[in-house]
Amino acid sequence: MITRYTCGTPVETYAVTADVPEGGALQHFSLDSREPFTFSCRLGADDLIFGLGETMRGINKRGFRYLSFNYDDPYHKDEMPSMYGSHNFFVVDGDRTFGAFFDTPARVAFDMDSAGDGTITVSCEAPGLCLYLIDGTDAYNVVKQFLGIIGPSFLPPLWAFGYGQSRWGYKSDKEIRRVADKHRALGIPLDYLCMDIDYMDRYIDFTVNGHRFPAMTQYVEDMKTKGLHLVPIVDAGIKIEPGNPVYDEGIQKGYFCTNREGENFQAEVWPGMTHFPDFLRAEVREWFGEQYKFYTDLGLDGFWNDMNEPAIFSTEYRAKTAKPDAERGDPVQPERHIADFKDFFHRLEDGTRVSNYEVHNIYGGLMTRASGEGLDRLLDRRYLLFSRSSYIGAHRYGGIWTGDNASTWHMLRQNVYHMPSLNMCGFLFSGADTGGFGGNAGRELLLRWLAVSVFTPLMRNHSALGTRRQECYRYQNPEDFKAVISLRYRLLPYLYSEFMKAALRQDMFILPMAFGFLGDETARRIEDQLLVGESIMIAPVLEKGALGRKVYLPEPMTEVRWDGEEFRCTGADAGTREITVPLNEVVFYIRKDCLVPVAKTTAASTAELDLSDVELLGTGTTYRQYLDDGYTKDCSLERCTVLQKEP
Ligand code: GLC
């Protein structure tokens, strides 16, 4: 059962698509309705809290504070209050089981029992919010009801589930081609390459640097014949440069955010001073979406939206602040930049002006919506779109990646924690920078990280300018990397099918153990094992130097060991076991009475993969496989066929 409780004067966020009735008296929480609106609730001693999407720390959010205030901060410490997205939904699981979605684009502070006295406090800043409360039989049931009211996930094409190679610093078409050729020569599967800001003319959106990429249309075409897609980055700010048609039109039509005086607000991002498109207005979104025609005319069908929190280096009012010292471990607190967000204004559809501060958290998500709606008009097939900033609702238009993480074991573990939490908030198509963005990834870390990314929908190796080159072939024994990435391609008949089924029935694709084994107290608290679709459980190695790990099996399962050549399946009893996992192998589990269809051979790219030519692993008897051509927009569960395992 879902009810809505309205407080103050909410601003439209477009998160909820269903018509949810107003519920009368407030349930579960008590409310102090002075601003900020403060909701409190008591927890039972054993209650866990799930949700909050892209926040730091573990899957159980209890015991800490979090903040929803989208922010660009590359130092992902546990203490970091907010990341790039705001996902204000959580589930209390225990004495009482209920979900709460605080739907507001303004700042929200969550104190999830940080004092340890059993109190949750949620403070929502003005002007108001809709609180959706969901009662259900268990935490998973509550999440499914929530996913039911926010609309279905974005559906990427099949190729977007392939392996992607990216790096900030690829300077030219030749360099990217060399990276691709190296993968092909070594037999490391690859489906796409990202083009970071250097493909642009002076970092200006909707341009191509003609010296570095002299024949882009031909280049895109050539790469496609090799089964490779190119994915350009698009930043939120439009460079202030008269003569640039996008800038000129934006100025002429009044499409940019303004300052206090009503002039266009100026902020420094990669191209220098820019204006921010006012994505809160439908007319501006439509205009921005149309600009992607520049890319689709070049034959591109994958896009990467960035700097849309929005990220600001300096403004007309504030000089550039020095980046914090990573060694000191001092995260940039959003507090230091609040003035920036109070300095610029949006115009809502009804003509009212609001500061970005009041509607801050929907800005990036509405950029995704603008581009997604534009691309839907421009392309008759599915495309890849992922964004850094997000708000719930943006999951209908694109995926997300979790921003500028680092090459550390801690961030690998965080990637594991993020996946189920993001799924609970609708963001099924997500992933982290595999190998880590900042810092230098060693061989062991990258191999272990790839073994996790094999199971995340977005599987992209991305790293920052100035860090150690992170392409797999730069490391000793590239065949080990090939072995791990090949598993992704062998598993795609299953992963693609499970993703599409989950998206189409508005369900989760990656789940915490707690959701799969209701009533099992050990499973309920495990954070480093996950369920991927309905048949697979993973237990990745997340520790440096570890030869393997301890795995908990709530039920008897099939243990599958992949060594780059073949799958070796053995029965595994319920209980705890120690496993050894060499760096070039991956171990995963198939649940009792379940099946996993795997491709009979691996492939250089998804273009070569036949998803219907499969063998079935596991002890089940039937599997419902979703199949399509990988591009069609006409997706429905009716495309599922039943596979039977020969006795
Ligand atoms: C931001 C992005 C990162 C990108 C860089 C340069 O830091 O998060 O992925 O490589 O900008 O465009």
Side-chain angles (χ1 to χ4, degrees):
M1 222 245 314
I2 312 180
T3 51
R4 190 181 63 190
Y5 183 86
T6 304
C7 206
T9 322
V11 174
E12 179 61 79
T13 65
Y14 311 101
V16 171
T17 50
D19 201 5
V20 177
E22 197 75 25
L26 179 63
Q27 305 286 315
H28 300 298
F29 291 93
S30 61
L31 167 64
D32 178 345
S33 49
R34 283 168 302 185
E35 289 171 12
F37 306 103
T38 303
F39 297 82
S40 307
C41 132
R42 298 284 306 157
L43 291 172
D46 291 327
D47 289 2
L48 305 187
I49 305 172
F50 296 107
L52 290 190
E54 193 183 63
T55 46
M56 291 300 291
R57 305 190 188 267
I59 296 174
N60 173 15
K61 308 314 290 186
R62 185 166 180 172
F64 304 100
R65 292 192 190 146
Y66 309 87
L67 179 72
S68 281
F69 196 65
N70 296 350
Y71 200 66
D72 166 29
D73 178 351
Y75 302 102
H76 298 182
K77 298 266 183 273
D78 272 353
E79 296 69 39
M80 193 166 90
S82 44
M83 298 187 75
Y84 311 86
S86 287
H87 309 138
N88 304 341
F89 169 68
F90 64 83
V91 186
V92 172
D93 173 53
D95 287 354
R96 284 180 293 171
T97 296
F98 69 93
F101 174 42
F102 294 81
D103 188 15
T104 163
R107 227 168 118 105
V108 182
F110 298 89
D111 186 329
M112 299 305 209
D113 190 26
S114 68
D117 61 0
T119 313
I120 290 184
T121 312
V122 182
S123 314
C124 305
E125 293 196 10
L129 69 144
C130 289
L131 168 60
Y132 294 87
L133 289 170
I134 308 174
D135 287 313
T137 48
D138 55 71
Y140 185 25
N141 171 277
V142 168
V143 169
K144 281 193 278 193
Q145 291 186 60
F146 177 61
L147 296 177
I149 63 166
I150 58 172
S153 158
F154 156 73
L155 298 174
L158 173 63
W159 67 262
F161 291 85
Y163 179 58
Q165 178 58 49
S166 179
R167 179 170 172 87
W168 175 15
Y170 289 154
K171 288 262 180 289
S172 65
D173 55 357
K174 285 189 203 62
E175 185 173 2
I176 293 178
R177 199 192 296 266
R178 270 199 303 275
V179 172
D181 290 348
K182 229 25 212 180
H183 281 80
R184 286 284 182 264
L186 292 166
I188 303 171
L190 186 69
D191 263 83
Y192 62 97
L193 295 125
C194 293
M195 300 191 290
D196 207 321
I197 47 175
D198 294 291
Y199 81 84
M200 301 181 196
D201 172 21
R202 292 168 298 132
Y203 310 144
I204 304 176
D205 284 347
F206 315 113
T207 68
V208 167
N209 183 314
H211 297 293
R212 294 173 170 184
F213 293 81
M216 189 62 111
T217 314
Q218 189 58 47
Y219 182 54
V220 173
E221 192 50 44
D222 287 354
M223 295 298 265
K224 270 203 185 143
T225 59
K226 297 181 185 175
L228 294 167
H229 296 251
L230 291 162
V231 179
I233 197 167
V234 183
D235 290 334
I238 301 295
K239 185 177 172 64
I240 300 178
E241 187 167 81
N244 175 314
V246 183
Y247 168 81
D248 287 345
E249 194 180 351
I251 291 286
Q252 193 213 333
K253 300 207 166 134
Y255 284 165
F256 296 125
C257 294
T258 49
N259 63 15
R260 279 175 206 287
E261 288 74 42
E263 296 150 355
N264 294 315
F265 175 74
Q266 299 186 22
E268 184 198 355
V269 203
W270 298 124
M273 279 304 190
T274 66
H275 291 325
F276 292 136
D278 191 355
F279 294 121
L280 273 76
R281 278 179 279 151
E283 188 189 0
V284 181
R285 288 197 295 274
E286 192 176 325
W287 166 75
F288 192 81
E290 272 161 26
Q291 306 310 317
Y292 283 68
K293 184 166 189 303
F294 174 82
Y295 299 114
T296 55
D297 283 352
L298 294 169
L300 294 163
D301 55 1
F303 311 89
W304 165 26
N305 284 351
D306 191 24
M307 308 304 273
N308 48 2
E309 294 69 28
I312 298 179
F313 301 160
S314 72
T315 69
E316 50 190 322
Y317 310 105
R318 178 181 62 77
K320 212 181 231 160
T321 15
K323 286 261 173 189
D325 182 353
E327 297 306 312
R328 278 189 297 122
D330 175 19
V332 188
Q333 298 298 320
E335 272 66 21
R336 293 197 206 159
H337 287 240
I338 280 176
D340 292 348
F341 305 118
K342 287 190 172 164
D343 278 339
F344 76 97
F345 294 80
H346 300 271
R347 216 175 71 215
L348 301 180
E349 300 293 2
D350 65 5
T352 343
R353 281 182 97 211
V354 289
S355 76
N356 175 267
Y357 181 81
E358 289 170 78
V359 292
H360 183 71
N361 293 335
I362 48 170
Y363 186 77
L366 289 178
M367 177 184 180
T368 308
R369 178 173 175 181
S371 18
E373 288 179 338
L375 290 163
D376 269 339
R377 294 189 296 269
L378 289 163
L379 296 171
D380 58 9
R381 40 173 55 195
R382 281 159 24 216
Y383 48 83
L384 169 60
L385 174 62
F386 61 100
S387 164
R388 195 170 68 177
S389 186
S390 60
Y391 183 81
I392 291 172
H395 70 285
R396 301 193 297 270
Y397 305 97
I400 54 173
W401 97 102
T402 50
D404 297 346
N405 63 0
S407 302
T408 63
W409 292 88
H410 184 63
M411 286 315 299
L412 167 58
R413 187 173 283 271
Q414 189 63 56
N415 185 187
V416 171
Y417 299 157
H418 268 148
M419 296 312 299
S421 309
L422 289 171
N423 272 253
M424 290 175 210
C425 297
F427 291 91
L428 267 52
F429 193 80
S430 50
D433 284 351
T434 302
F437 177 73
N440 304 314
R443 181 174 190 277
E444 183 190 359
L445 178 66
L446 183 54
L447 279 165
R448 294 296 195 204
W449 206 317
L450 285 164
V452 169
S453 301
V454 158
F455 298 95
T456 68
L458 178 71
M459 185 189 188
R460 181 183 73 137
N461 179 335
H462 181 53
S463 55
L465 190 69
T467 61
R468 175 178 178 173
R469 299 291 300 234
Q470 207 164 281
E471 298 87 2
C472 296
Y473 56 80
R474 308 255 176 198
Y475 295 82
Q476 223 181 3
N477 297 345
E479 61 276 14
D480 291 347
F481 294 83
K482 174 184 169 186
V484 176
I485 298 171
S486 301
L487 173 60
R488 168 70 160 213
Y489 286 74
R490 293 290 295 268
L491 278 177
L492 268 177
Y494 172 78
L495 295 172
Y496 181 68
S497 162
E498 288 299 302
F499 179 94
M500 294 298 283
K501 286 193 296 185
L504 291 168
R505 56 169 198 246
Q506 292 177 232
D507 200 339
M508 294 169 69
F509 169 64
I510 298 189
L511 296 83
M513 293 286 283
F515 288 16
F517 302 98
L518 299 171
D520 180 325
E521 198 52 33
T522 309
R524 182 168 173 256
R525 289 167 188 275
I526 284 189
E527 303 221 329
D528 61 357
Q529 297 179 203
L530 297 173
L531 297 172
V532 180
E534 56 197 28
S535 307
I536 287 183
M537 179 186 86
I538 60 167
V541 178
L542 304 173
E543 248 171 71
K544 181 173 166 47
L547 297 175
R549 58 164 289 168
K550 202 162 79 179
V551 184
Y552 173 67
L553 273 65
E555 62 186 17
M557 295 188 184
T558 305
E559 185 174 287
V560 187
R561 186 171 287 274
W562 166 255
D563 62 6
E565 295 292 328
E566 56 178 14
F567 294 100
R568 272 176 290 143
C569 298
T570 42
D573 294 336
T576 302
R577 58 207 275 119
E578 281 287 339
I579 56 165
T580 303
V581 189
L583 278 178
N584 56 357
E585 294 190 6
V586 183
V587 173
F588 63 93
Y589 294 84
I590 302 180
R591 292 185 62 177
K592 188 167 160 268
D593 302 329
C594 288
L595 287 176
V596 170
V598 295
K600 288 192 181 140
T601 51
T602 188
S605 75
T606 53
E608 289 179 9
L609 204 62
D610 182 354
L611 295 182
S612 63
D613 189 20
V614 296
E615 55 185 284
L616 295 166
L617 308 181
T619 55
T621 48
T622 57
Y623 177 79
R624 263 182 91 220
Q625 187 183 17
Y626 175 91
L627 271 176
D628 65 13
D629 59 7
Y631 292 99
T632 179
K633 289 185 174 181
D634 178 21
C635 304
S636 88
L637 288 169
E638 278 161 31
R639 291 186 179 272
C640 291
T641 53
V642 176
L643 307 179
Q644 299 270 358
K645 184 157 179 172
E646 312 268 306

